[in-house]
């Protein structure tokens, strides 16, 4: 038996479920398939289990793509306020953290239940633990999809299967394979929002700092992010590093400015006047974690009492805090990357509908498209916006 529907969506994540509920609201018959045992697994684990479901500041400037203009249409037509209205409709309590990030008060599962409820209300059928083997175009129009549960024929086929990041959650490159099958181009994929690693010699020098977090500004070229930096046993992590990782490429250096909002040299000069017999390490320990203060003093090659130090020496100490240059050896890869950079080339897609320009009825949404947001709810907003755009069109 071949089952038929208006819209078949592959992938029951954020983008796929948004597309399903919007298409269903427009009276389309919708089936949504996923090989996982539960829908919205990335939603469930996001934000420490509380789901950073959007960012109130989300706009085109917060996204990386070969075509930075592509995301404008979808983001303008389904905004963070639109998604917040849906959350409020379901009486899900939420709060704003730093930098416009919105989180559930209770659990990320509230967002999943909300999406499932909206899908159920419009009759969208969810099928889990279903594998897809083959996708083929029907000569007269539409698509035939062969699954572990049978054959489905559909007028519109939506790829919402995500990228390669976090393979233990079931991530695959399926969408890229289908894109290539139908003649769409791909932009090189790589891990994004990922910790950076250091080569053994560097790691050894920084080993005493593992576990220390400090406010920092991390820069690459003209791009910089001012958030927490975390030293790890593999290298560097924390929000500022995850952010810059999307801009960094192998062989590049990054710049670290710890405690970017502090006047470090002013503090040292004040400490020198107040108690010249203390060491530089002790003076730095008032503004830095003790182990980091010790490392900085050693790195600057500074010993003795701060009262005996010249302004040039104090400047060297300040540079050791706020003017680091480090060349990472690599990243932790897709295993821990929060997103996949690159993907389906946006020149092949219509920015208003997310439909493939040369393949009527074929759509790509969410992470599999070459649109990648910053850390902090931006990638969920792209999922909602791109899913809604396709849902309006299918």
């Amino acid at each position: 038996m071949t089952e038929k529907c208006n819209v078949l969506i592959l992938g029951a994540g954020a983008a796929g479920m948004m597309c399903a509920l919007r298409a269903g609201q427009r009276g389309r018959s919708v089936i949504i398939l996923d090989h996982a045992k539960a829908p919205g697994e990335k939603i469930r684990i996001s934000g420490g289990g509380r789901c950073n479901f959007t960012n109130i500041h989300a706009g085109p400037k917060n996204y990386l793509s070969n075509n930075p203009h592509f995301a404008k249409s979808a983001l303008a037509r389904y905004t963070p306020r639109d998604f917040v209205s849906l959350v409020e409709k379901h009486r899900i309590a939420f709060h704003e953290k730093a930098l416009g990030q919105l989180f559930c008060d209770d659990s990320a599962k509230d967002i999943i239940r909300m999406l499932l409820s909206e899908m159920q209300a419009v009759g969208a059928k969810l099928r889990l633990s279903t594998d897809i083997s083959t996708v083929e175009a029907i000569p007269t129009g539409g698509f035939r999809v062969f699954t572990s549960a049978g054959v489905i024929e559909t007028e519109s086929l939506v790829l919402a299967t995500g990228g390669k990041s976090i393979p233990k959650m079931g991530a695959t490159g399926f969408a890229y394979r289908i894109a290539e099958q139908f003649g769409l181009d791909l932009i090189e994929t790589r891990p994004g929002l990922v910790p950076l690693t250091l080569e053994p010699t560097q790691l050894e020098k920084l080993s005493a700092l593992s576990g220390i977090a400090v406010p920092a500004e991390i820069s690459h070229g003209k791009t910089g992010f001012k958030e927490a930096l975390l030293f790890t046993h593999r290298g560097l992590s924390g929000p500022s590093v995850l952010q810059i990782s999307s801009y960094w490429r192998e062989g590049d250096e990054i710049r670290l400015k710890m405690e970017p909002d502090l006047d470090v040299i002013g503090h040292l000069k004040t400490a020198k006047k107040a108690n010249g017999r203390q060491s530089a390490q002790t003076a730095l320990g008032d503004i830095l974690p003790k182990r980091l203060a010790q490392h900085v003093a050693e790195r600057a090659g500074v010993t003795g009492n701060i009262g005996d130090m010249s302004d040039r020496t104090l400047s060297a100490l300040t540079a050791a805090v706020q003017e680091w240059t480090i060349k990472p050896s690599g990243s932790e890869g897709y295993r821990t990357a929060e997103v996949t950079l690159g993907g389906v080339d946006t020149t092949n897609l219509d920015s208003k509908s997310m439909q493939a320009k040369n393949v009527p009825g074929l759509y790509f949404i969410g992470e599999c498209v070459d649109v990648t947001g910053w850390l902090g709810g931006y990638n969920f907003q792209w999922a909602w916006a791109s899913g809604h755009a396709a849902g309006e069109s299918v």
Side-chain angles (χ1 to χ4, degrees):
M1 274 285 286
T2 297
E3 192 173 7
K4 297 192 178 186
C5 63
N6 298 136
V7 182
L8 178 61
I9 300 166
L10 308 184
M17 288 194 282
M18 175 57 77
C19 181
L21 71 88
R22 183 66 195 118
Q25 287 169 352
R26 292 176 51 244
R28 303 294 191 262
S29 61
V30 179
I31 298 174
I32 180 168
L33 305 180
D34 203 299
H35 64 174
K37 294 178 182 177
E41 282 292 87
K42 266 197 170 181
I43 298 175
R44 181 181 62 81
I45 66 165
S46 69
R50 290 194 173 178
C51 187
N52 179 192
F53 56 80
T54 192
N55 193 297
I56 59 175
H57 303 306
K61 68 183 183 300
N62 307 114
Y63 295 85
L64 291 82
S65 173
N66 261 26
N67 176 5
H69 301 292
F70 179 82
K72 287 180 177 177
S73 176
L75 290 170
R77 288 181 297 117
Y78 192 84
T79 67
R81 180 65 247 176
D82 292 321
F83 192 76
V84 167
S85 295
L86 185 59
V87 170
E88 290 173 338
K89 171 188 167 185
H90 286 259
R91 297 181 179 177
I92 297 171
F94 65 92
H95 58 279
E96 180 182 345
K97 281 194 177 179
L99 306 172
Q101 303 168 26
L102 300 186
F103 286 79
C104 296
D105 283 359
D106 184 23
S107 170
K109 293 177 183 177
D110 291 338
I111 299 295
I112 299 172
R113 281 191 286 266
M114 175 190 80
L115 296 168
L116 291 175
S117 173
E118 290 284 328
M119 284 165 50
Q120 187 176 17
V122 296
K125 299 174 183 176
L126 174 63
R127 310 268 175 83
L128 299 168
S129 302
T130 304
D131 295 319
I132 295 110
S133 57
T134 310
V135 174
E136 62 182 33
I138 299 171
T140 53
F143 303 87
R144 186 177 293 115
V145 179
F146 296 82
T147 82
S148 56
V151 180
I152 302 174
E153 290 185 355
T154 183
E155 296 165 25
S156 295
L157 179 64
V158 183
L159 273 294
T161 53
K164 299 177 182 178
S165 56
I166 320 183
K168 69 178 181 182
M169 308 252 352
T172 69
F174 183 78
Y176 311 137
R177 197 162 76 241
I178 299 302
E180 288 185 312
Q181 177 186 332
F182 285 94
L184 279 71
D185 298 320
L186 297 178
I187 302 298
E188 176 199 3
T189 56
R190 56 195 176 90
L193 300 182
V194 63
L196 298 176
T197 55
L198 301 175
E199 51 88 16
T201 305
Q202 282 182 311
L203 265 185
E204 190 175 345
K205 291 177 182 176
L206 299 176
S207 60
L209 305 182
S210 182
I212 290 176
V214 65
E217 183 173 5
I218 314 291
S219 305
H220 176 271
K222 295 180 180 179
T223 303
F225 293 93
K226 196 185 288 186
E227 293 185 67
L229 159 69
L230 174 68
F231 293 93
T232 74
H233 65 287
R234 290 192 186 92
L236 305 173
S237 189
S240 60
V241 172
L242 298 187
Q243 295 278 39
I244 212 66
S245 72
S246 295
Y247 295 82
W248 173 84
R249 299 301 289 256
E250 284 77 1
D252 291 353
E253 293 182 334
I254 57 173
R255 299 186 306 281
L256 278 62
K257 183 177 184 179
M258 295 184 291
E259 295 290 358
D261 295 326
L262 285 185
D263 176 10
V264 175
I265 194 164
H267 168 79
L268 291 172
K269 287 179 178 179
T270 301
K272 177 179 176 178
K273 286 180 183 177
N275 179 8
R277 296 173 65 185
Q278 65 181 315
S279 67
Q281 179 181 324
T282 301
L284 284 171
D286 291 337
I287 58 172
L288 297 175
K290 297 291 188 285
R291 277 185 289 150
L292 183 55
Q294 179 183 349
H295 176 85
V296 166
E298 291 172 354
R299 184 167 176 262
V302 172
T303 57
N305 295 338
I306 195 169
D308 300 328
M309 295 177 188
S310 65
D311 284 355
R312 177 180 287 184
T313 301
L314 297 184
S315 293
L317 264 179
T318 301
V321 176
Q322 296 190 319
E323 295 177 24
W324 288 37
T325 301
I326 289 184
K327 183 185 285 188
S329 60
S331 79
E332 290 192 7
Y334 291 115
R335 182 181 64 84
T336 56
E338 296 203 14
V339 291
T340 304
L341 290 151
V344 178
D345 191 339
T346 59
T347 58
N348 300 153
L349 304 177
D350 178 80
S351 63
K352 186 175 180 183
S353 66
M354 309 302 294
Q355 183 173 209
K357 292 177 179 176
N358 297 326
V359 189
L362 183 64
Y363 297 76
F364 293 84
I365 59 176
E367 191 183 341
C368 69
V369 178
D370 175 35
V371 175
T372 305
W374 291 359
L375 185 72
Y378 298 100
N379 286 294
F380 274 128
Q381 187 56 38
W382 171 244
W384 314 135
S386 60
H388 193 270
E392 291 266 87
S393 174
V394 288

